[in-house]
Amino acid sequence: MSTYSFDQLINRTGTQSVKWDKTDLVFGAKDVLPFWVADMDFQAPPNVLQTINERVKHGIFGYTSPTESTANALSSWVEKKHQWTIDHEWITYSPGVVFALSMAIQAFTEPGDSILIQPPVYTPFFNMIKVNDREVVENPLKLAGDKYEIDFADLEQKFAEGVKLMILCSPHNPVGRVWTKEELKKLADLCEKYNVLIVSDEIHSDLIYQPYKHIPISMVSEDAANRTITCMAPSKTFNIPGLQASAIIIPNEKLRTQYVQQQQKQGFSNLNTFGIIGLEAAYSEGEEWLEALLVYLKKNVDLVTRFISENLPELRVVQPEGTYLLWIDCNKLHLSEEELHERLLEKGKIAVEKGEKYSSTYGKGFIRLNIGCSHEQLQEGLNRLKVALT
């Protein structure tokens, strides 16, 4: 029996919450229940809260910097959870993974270079490529039966045309795939063949459902490790994105030096005080809380799947292997994008992410639903979804 409860309904309004205080502004509709931006409505693990509270009581917030204990917390976590042994010297830090993506693009490519992504995929991948004046190359994932797969023939063709870097989403947001070792090895071999660097966004790597297992792509071969920049963070896992602390792991010394120099050009030097201690506390003592969370989230997955099967059979839930984000196919309703989201907002009073945000072509007719909330709140959201779409 878990000692942690995720059933508590906590009022987040008035806390500068993007999810709760900005929904009206983002969606242009009032009194809607938010299931969009990817943070959860659960308090952080008790040990993280206790550590932060003790630090607040100290009362002095001078300049701070990660220490050996910070690196040890991260490396011990990665070793235990993913069986990946990392040297402390491989680690650098970033206020966020999106910032790290931009730094990697600037460090390893030039304006006009081609960067490959696999849509439908996390929106900032597109944005960071475009705002840095690089070219987006798409290797669309294929929906084969009930799950997405990599189109390796198309991938090789795109690599052969001169791609310099690819951004891998692993596990994948929004389709929920946890890539197998075989898939990652095949991808890494193609990157070696065509000399493509890999920036691997592994921010959801700890949010994995049984029997699936996350494998860092750097583990599949020595060459993969030497051409990969891995981005990890406690932010999604322990619901602390507002602390703004991520870890960027780069085994290749030359690449690591280039990356750090690019961060320095942007004026970044260190994480904030609470980001450092939050990261360290979460990775040091958060495992038991995470195990309880995953049980709770899996019940939410099952709740959504069952409800939609019984009440909205035209919809299809792409079963997630990881993440707390559900990718739901609404195409059989034969609604335009405008009609679909007008119904959701105006009739159902529910805010979800539009699938077209993740690809104007391959996301059409889909929605992304954040299930990181209490069973009660999720049930209310599903009831609203039914009102909207029936």
Side-chain angles (χ1 to χ4, degrees), residues 4-279:
Y4 303 104
S5 174
F6 300 96
D7 288 323
Q8 184 181 4
L9 294 174
I10 300 171
N11 183 5
R12 295 182 61 190
T13 58
T15 62
Q16 294 82 44
S17 165
V18 171
K19 183 177 183 180
W20 286 87
D21 292 327
K22 297 291 185 181
T23 297
D24 291 359
L25 180 65
V26 172
F27 288 86
K30 294 188 177 296
D31 304 319
V32 294
L33 197 58
F35 292 87
W36 59 292
V37 69
D39 69 21
M40 298 185 286
D41 292 319
F42 306 130
Q43 287 189 337
N47 71 291
V48 174
L49 300 179
Q50 180 181 350
T51 301
I52 290 175
N53 284 332
E54 289 173 357
R55 187 66 179 81
V56 169
K57 289 176 184 176
H58 181 265
I60 300 175
F61 309 110
Y63 294 115
T64 49
S65 178
T67 63
E68 265 307 283
S69 66
T70 316
N72 189 59
L74 171 67
S75 60
S76 296
W77 178 268
V78 171
E79 173 81 47
K80 183 172 186 180
K81 301 300 288 186
H82 309 302
Q83 292 72 57
W84 184 22
T85 303
I86 61 175
D87 292 345
H88 287 189
E89 65 180 17
W90 299 354
I91 303 168
T92 185
Y93 298 94
S94 169
V97 167
V98 174
F99 179 80
L101 296 180
S102 185
M103 292 302 95
I105 289 168
Q106 293 174 34
F108 306 122
T109 66
E110 299 293 335
D113 282 349
S114 296
I115 297 176
L116 183 138
I117 57 177
Q118 297 175 305
V121 73
Y122 184 48
T123 309
F125 286 14
F126 295 92
N127 298 342
M128 289 302 101
I129 297 170
K130 291 175 181 176
V131 299
N132 282 296
D133 300 316
R134 275 64 167 175
E135 296 297 320
V136 174
V137 175
E138 297 188 5
N139 167 231
L141 299 178
K142 300 186 298 184
L143 184 52
D146 288 328
K147 74 176 184 178
Y148 282 84
E149 296 177 351
I150 296 172
D151 185 340
F152 284 103
D154 178 74
L155 180 65
E156 181 162 16
Q157 180 182 331
K158 300 292 174 55
F159 279 176
E161 293 170 358
V163 166
K164 294 291 181 66
L165 181 149
M166 79 166 291
I167 306 176
L168 175 67
C169 200
S170 178
H172 195 282
N173 169 16
V175 308
R177 271 304 312 275
V178 175
W179 306 115
T180 65
K181 185 176 182 179
E182 291 72 26
E183 288 170 316
L184 293 171
K185 182 65 167 63
K186 193 171 182 179
L187 189 155
D189 287 346
L190 286 173
C191 289
E192 180 178 5
K193 180 178 179 180
Y194 292 98
N195 194 26
V196 176
L197 289 178
I198 305 166
V199 177
S200 188
D201 176 359
E202 303 187 15
I203 197 169
H204 293 278
S205 58
D206 298 316
L207 296 163
I208 309 294
Y209 303 113
Q210 294 291 343
Y212 304 100
K213 177 170 177 54
H214 173 74
I215 299 169
I217 192 168
S218 276
M219 289 182 65
V220 302
S221 70
E222 184 177 350
D223 181 83
N226 278 321
R227 68 175 61 252
T228 299
I229 295 88
T230 301
C231 305
M232 290 183 164
S235 52
K236 303 298 182 187
T237 309
F238 300 103
N239 204 36
I240 52 174
L243 298 187
Q244 298 188 325
S246 302
I248 315 304
I249 304 165
I250 312 174
N252 184 311
E253 183 179 3
K254 181 181 177 182
L255 295 180
R256 188 168 64 251
T257 299
Q258 287 177 257
Y259 176 85
V260 170
Q261 287 175 343
Q262 190 60 47
Q263 283 195 323
Q264 290 171 343
K265 288 179 183 179
Q266 304 301 320
F268 174 78
S269 57
N270 272 314
L271 301 178
N272 75 76
T273 302
F274 297 107
I276 295 168
I277 63 174
L279 180 151

